[in-house]
Amino acid sequence: MVVDGHIPEGELRRSRTDADVGETLATVLDRELTGYVVFEPQGSILLGDGERAVVTFEDGVPVLAYHPASDGGGDDALDALSGSLFHAAVYELPPEDLAAAHRVEELRVDPLAPARRLAADETLLDRTREAAPDDRLTAEGGTSAVEAFLADAESIEAIREQARAEAESRAADWGLSEQLDDDP
């Protein structure tokens, strides 16, 4: 198989019928695979409709997705995998064999997109986020607003100070100032 002329045939490492997308993605991450997985939805093999999609990986982290039938890439290729998965074939390749394909921007996906869109597994999302290079995580795939806020110690301390001042003001209004603990 060649993806858009950029990916040569890899060495088959695993081929599984009735595969689970989340389990397949977790296995690729665990093995830190550099290569690709060919995913085929249920009915694709029987009907011969070519609805398979290819997702490449670098050190277990998704890099690009390609859907040969539509010649579409990125998130559009992931959309072709909606429904039940029937077969997944895992191939290993040296990184240099993927270098040209990984430079094709319209095929690239956020490293978390396959786990989020195909597996909906929070543990897998967290593990993939930890393994992904920081420069590859998009705002969608990077830290959430809550995570970013919690990492900002100055903002948290400012909110604590404001809450403390409001509590002292209300306590004074209600004549309870003496009941307040003076230690912050």
Side-chain angles (χ1 to χ4, degrees):
M1 163 179 284
V2 177
V3 176
D4 197 30
H6 294 289
I7 300 177
E9 185 82 27
E11 186 173 333
L12 182 64
R13 293 295 183 198
R14 181 179 182 193
S15 181
R16 185 167 181 178
T17 301
D18 197 24
D20 175 84
V21 176
E23 180 184 313
T24 302
L25 293 171
T27 299
V28 167
L29 184 60
D30 290 342
R31 293 183 179 174
E32 297 180 356
L33 177 93
T34 296
Y36 60 94
V37 176
V38 178
F39 291 106
E40 294 185 76
Q42 190 169 16
S44 178
I45 294 174
L46 297 175
L47 300 175
D49 62 8
E51 287 303 311
R52 70 183 185 270
V54 178
V55 179
T56 69
F57 299 84
E58 189 171 304
D59 298 324
V61 178
V63 177
L64 66 82
Y66 179 70
H67 181 240
S70 66
D71 196 33
D75 289 336
D76 292 339
L78 295 177
D79 290 342
L81 293 174
S82 60
S84 299
L85 183 62
F86 181 75
H87 187 261
V90 179
Y91 295 87
E92 187 171 11
L93 275 171
E96 58 272 9
D97 288 354
L98 291 168
H102 285 177
R103 287 191 295 268
V104 181
E105 284 300 318
E106 51 273 4
L107 300 179
R108 291 178 72 92
V109 292
D110 180 278
L112 304 182
R116 180 179 290 119
R117 297 176 74 173
L118 304 176
D121 179 338
E122 288 299 319
T123 302
L124 180 59
L125 278 169
D126 291 342
R127 290 181 56 226
T128 304
R129 184 180 292 113
E130 288 175 22
D134 290 339
D135 65 336
R136 293 246 355 269
L137 291 171
T138 63
E140 175 185 335
T143 58
S144 70
V146 172
E147 291 170 323
F149 170 75
L150 291 175
D152 186 355
E154 289 179 17
S155 292
I156 292 172
E157 188 55 36
I159 290 171
R160 283 184 183 150
E161 289 296 325
Q162 181 180 359
R164 202 172 284 123
E166 287 179 22
E168 289 172 356
S169 173
R170 287 206 175 132
D173 290 345
W174 296 338
L176 301 173
S177 295
E178 296 168 4
Q179 272 58 39
L180 290 179
D181 184 6
D182 289 334
D183 292 330

